[in-house]
Structures are given as structure tokens and as C-alpha cells.
């Protein structure tokens, strides 16, 4: 691994090992700062600018300690992710100093272990592919709290790949609102194995983020939402052949046709990634929801039957 990066990791290891001892006598920074200022007044009768600088350092030492500790935990997690890939050193790179400084400033404020894991994935992705994680992406992601970050992760878990025979490729989170979901479940009503068939959809419903959570992700420009009941994004004047994929599983379908508008289209549900959201989806590399393929296939068959009626 690059010497510069090795040195940073080494410093982080030593810091995490010894930091508690180093700062143990500074557990009350506010009290110690007040004592320091009172002693200066008693001694000099006034407080100089240098005295205020020393007081500020005392007051902020716990914050500095916490942020450094957070940052080096993210470094450790990122290093662990990279080691598991077993990529040779010549396929890894060190991000630019400007990028690292910006990343450190944002990630050092995160103490939650789950969030640190996500930040570590972003850092690992930038080390695999320099320039893949922009500052705009980092800034957007920093606005997420744990709950909204987990909601975005769920959308990543629900994302399928759509490939059109004209070369277009989309990665789309499968967001089914209640009316569509209930319509799909009702369509299984006449099957003898009805209860078994609807299990994936019932579990999917409990797994899907709430509408409020989805709208918040839209406000942060990670996804965009189509108008209610408008499930189409991809259009063509010629019929299209589409492949729907969830990892190694896939099935094919044909586009639907609107006689009224005289065009062909594909139903893709209500939510789509923005460029920032899509880049984060690829960087975070979440595993798909276990029943995603079944729910996707059920939805596509349902829309085909609904339009044929």
C-alpha cells in the first residue's frame, strides 16, 4: 500500500490505542478553562489575546479528541474493506489532499458505528476509483442522519437493473405504493398457494421506507419522484425488449403500448436516482433485498396484465 497511506493508518492505530490516556486528565475542559482564566486574572489583572487562544484550545480539546477518534475509526473500517477485496496495491490510489481534507472534516463528525461504516465505503470507493466520489456527493451525504441514511440504504437494497435493447441502462429503486402493492397481492387471490405467493410482498411492504422518508431523500436530491400513478420513465416510438435484472437473476419482457398516445413505454414505478444518488448507490454496493427478484417480476407481470385489460 502507498507509504503515505500506511503512515496515516499507523498514526491512527497509535492514536486509538493511546488517546484515552492522553486526554484522561482533560475530562472537564470547561471547568479547566474557567480555572485557567481565573488564574490569569489573579496573576495579571487582565487577559491577553494569547491567553484567550490557550483557553480556546483547552475548551475544544474534547471536541478535537472526539473528531480525531471518529476519523481514524473510519480509516480503520475503510482499510478493512479494502483488505477484503485483496486488490493489488497498484490498483489502489490515495485521494488528493483537498479531497481527503474535505472528507476528514465531514466524516470526523460521525460517531455512530453504522454511519462510520458507510463513510468508510465511500472512502474505499474513492481509493478504488479516484474521482468517483465528488465533494458534492460527500456534502449531500453529510446531511443525512442515521435514520435517513438507513432509508437510502433500503432503497439501494431495492434497486434493480433495467436494460433496453437499444442500449439504455437504468438502475431503479423499486418503490411500490400501497395501491399498486395491494393490487398485486389481490391478483394472487385465486392461486392455490396464495399465502406462500404473497409472502415476498408482505415482507417488502415492511421493509420499504415510509413516504415521508422517501420525500426527504427527494428533498436532498438523492432521488426524484414521478407524479403519483405515473409509473413510466422510458418511452419509444418503436417496440422495446427489456431485461430486468437483480444480480445474476434476470427475466425479459416487452414494452407496453398506449393506443391513445401511440407510443411504447416501460413501467418503472415512482422513484429514480439522481446523478448524485446513483453514484452513491454504486459506491455503497449494498446487497439486494432477498425477495427483490420475486417482487419485481410480480410487479412487471401485474402491469402487463393491467394494461392488456
Amino acid at each position: 500500500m502507498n507509504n503515505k497511506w500506511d503512515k496515516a493508518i499507523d498514526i491512527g492505530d497509535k492514536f486509538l490505542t493511546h488517546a484515552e490516556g492522553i486526554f484522561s486528565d482533560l475530562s472537564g475542559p470547561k471547568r479547566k478553562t474557567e480555572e485557567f482564566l481565573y488564574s490569569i486574572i489573579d496573576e495579571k489583572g487582565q487577559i491577553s489575546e494569547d491567553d484567550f487562544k490557550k483557553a480556546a484550545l483547552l475548551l475544544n480539546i474534547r471536541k478535537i479528541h472526539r473528531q480525531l477518534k471518529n476519523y481514524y475509526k473510519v480509516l480503520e473500517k475503510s482499510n478493512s474493506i479494502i483488505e477484503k477485496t485483496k486488490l493489488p496495491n497498484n490498483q489502489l490510489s490515495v485521494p488528493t489532499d483537498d479531497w481527503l481534507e474535505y472528507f476528514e472534516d465531514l466524516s470526523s463528525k460521525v460517531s455512530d458505528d453504522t454511519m462510520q461504516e458507510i463513510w468508510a465505503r465511500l472512502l474505499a470507493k474513492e481509493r478504488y476509483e479516484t474521482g468517483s466520489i465528488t465533494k458534492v456527493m460527500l456534502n449531500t451525504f453529510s446531511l443525512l442522519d442515521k435514520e435517513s441514511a438507513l432509508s437510502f440504504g433500503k432503497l439501494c437494497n431495492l434497486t434493480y437493473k433495467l436494460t433496453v435493447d437499444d442500449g439504455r441502462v437504468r438502475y431503479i429503486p423499486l418503490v411500490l405504493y400501497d395501491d399498486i402493492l395491494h393490487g398485486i397481492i389481490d391478483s394472487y387471490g385465486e392461486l392455490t398457494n396464495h399465502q406462500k405467493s404473497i409472502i415476498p410482498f408482505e415482507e417488502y411492504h415492511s421493509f420499504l421506507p415510509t413516504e415521508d422518508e422517501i420525500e426527504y431523500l427527494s428533498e436532498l436530491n438523492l432521488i426524484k419522484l414521478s407524479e403519483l400513478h405515473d409509473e413510466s420513465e422510458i418511452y419509444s416510438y418503436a417496440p422495446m425488449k427489456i431485461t430486468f435484472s437483480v444480480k445474476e437473476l434476470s427475466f425479459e419482457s416487452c414494452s407496453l403500448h398506449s393506443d391513445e398516445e401511440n407510443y411504447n413505454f416501460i413501467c418503472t414505478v415512482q422513484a429514480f436516482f439522481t446523478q448524485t444518488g446513483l453514484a452513491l448507490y454504486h459506491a455503497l454496493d449494498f446487497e439486494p433485498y432477498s425477495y427483490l427478484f420475486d417482487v419485481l417480476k410480480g410487479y412487471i407481470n401485474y402491469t402487463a396484465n393491467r394494461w392488456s385489460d
Side-chain angles (χ1 to χ4, degrees):
M1 192 177 289
N2 186 289
N3 289 335
K4 180 180 176 182
W5 192 261
D6 283 341
K7 187 177 293 185
I9 292 297
D10 184 55
I11 292 172
D13 290 340
K14 291 178 180 177
F15 178 84
L16 290 172
T17 302
H18 303 293
E20 295 298 336
I22 292 172
F23 294 107
S24 61
D25 63 330
L26 294 171
S27 57
K30 184 177 180 180
R31 176 178 55 80
K32 288 185 175 293
T33 302
E34 291 173 346
E35 291 175 354
F36 169 74
L37 291 175
Y38 287 141
S39 69
I40 294 298
I41 292 174
D42 288 341
E43 180 182 343
K44 301 179 181 179
Q46 62 181 6
I47 303 173
S48 68
E49 185 176 346
D50 284 343
D51 293 330
F52 275 119
K53 288 180 180 178
K54 291 177 183 178
L57 180 60
L58 284 173
L59 191 60
N60 284 288
I61 200 70
R62 176 179 284 179
K63 177 181 177 182
I64 295 169
H65 168 214
R66 183 180 67 252
Q67 290 185 345
L68 282 172
K69 188 175 180 180
N70 289 339
Y71 179 58
Y72 283 113
K73 280 186 177 180
V74 171
L75 288 184
E76 277 194 327
K77 291 176 182 293
S78 181
N79 202 43
S80 177
I81 291 170
I82 288 174
E83 286 178 352
K84 290 177 182 178
T85 66
K86 298 183 179 180
L87 287 173
N89 291 343
N90 60 8
Q91 291 187 23
L92 300 172
S93 61
V94 177
T96 65
D97 289 342
D98 286 347
W99 190 94
L100 273 177
E101 183 176 346
Y102 197 72
F103 180 88
E104 177 183 355
D105 180 58
L106 295 177
S107 63
S108 64
K109 297 179 176 66
V110 179
S111 57
D112 179 80
D113 189 70
T114 300
M115 293 295 289
Q116 287 179 345
E117 183 71 28
I118 298 176
W119 280 98
R121 291 192 188 196
L122 296 176
L123 178 56
K125 176 67 173 181
E126 182 67 11
R127 295 207 60 213
Y128 302 149
E129 187 181 344
T130 301
S132 59
I133 306 298
T134 66
K135 289 182 180 180
V136 171
M137 291 166 56
L138 294 177
N139 191 60
T140 300
F141 194 75
S142 70
L143 299 176
L144 299 180
D145 56 19
K146 181 180 178 180
E147 288 71 25
S148 52
L150 292 175
S151 296
F152 181 73
K154 286 182 178 180
L155 289 188
C156 292
N157 292 137
L158 296 175
T159 297
Y160 65 94
K161 180 181 178 181
L162 182 153
T163 306
V164 187
D165 57 1
D166 60 11
R168 283 179 285 178
V169 177
R170 299 284 190 276
Y171 292 88
I172 303 172
L174 186 65
V175 176
L176 301 175
Y177 290 143
D178 284 350
D179 55 342
I180 295 176
L181 195 59
H182 290 158
I184 298 172
I185 292 174
D186 290 344
S187 71
Y188 282 82
E190 297 179 1
L191 298 179
T192 55
N193 58 346
H194 172 260
Q195 290 301 321
K196 183 178 179 180
S197 299
I198 66 174
I199 288 175
F201 300 94
E202 291 178 334
E203 186 174 312
Y204 163 90
H205 185 264
S206 64
F207 184 84
L208 183 71
T210 66
E211 289 190 33
D212 286 344
E213 290 170 334
I214 291 173
E215 287 177 3
Y216 181 61
L217 295 176
S218 176
E219 290 173 5
L220 291 177
N221 197 38
L222 288 172
I223 60 173
K224 65 184 181 73
L225 300 175
S226 63
E227 295 294 328
L228 193 61
H229 302 300
D230 181 6
E231 307 165 50
S232 306
E233 184 202 25
I234 300 177
Y235 302 88
S236 174
Y237 287 110
M240 295 174 283
K241 186 176 182 181
I242 314 102
T243 301
F244 297 90
S245 307
V246 177
K247 297 200 76 170
E248 71 278 358
L249 300 175
S250 64
F251 65 93
E252 292 183 348
S253 184
C254 294
S255 56
L256 305 172
H257 183 76
S258 171
D259 293 330
E260 182 179 349
E261 302 292 340
N262 193 28
Y263 60 70
N264 299 277
F265 63 96
I266 303 166
C267 287
T268 54
V269 212
Q270 255 75 38
F272 315 100
F273 286 122
T274 61
Q275 288 186 336
T276 299
L278 182 61
L280 281 172
Y281 161 73
H282 286 302
L284 297 175
D285 193 26
F286 282 98
E287 282 295 307
Y289 161 63
S290 57
Y291 285 124
L292 179 58
F293 183 79
D294 303 277
V295 176
L296 174 62
K297 196 166 186 177
Y299 166 68
I300 296 303
N301 289 336
Y302 170 73
T303 56
N305 292 334
R306 187 177 59 173
W307 277 88
S308 65
D309 294 340

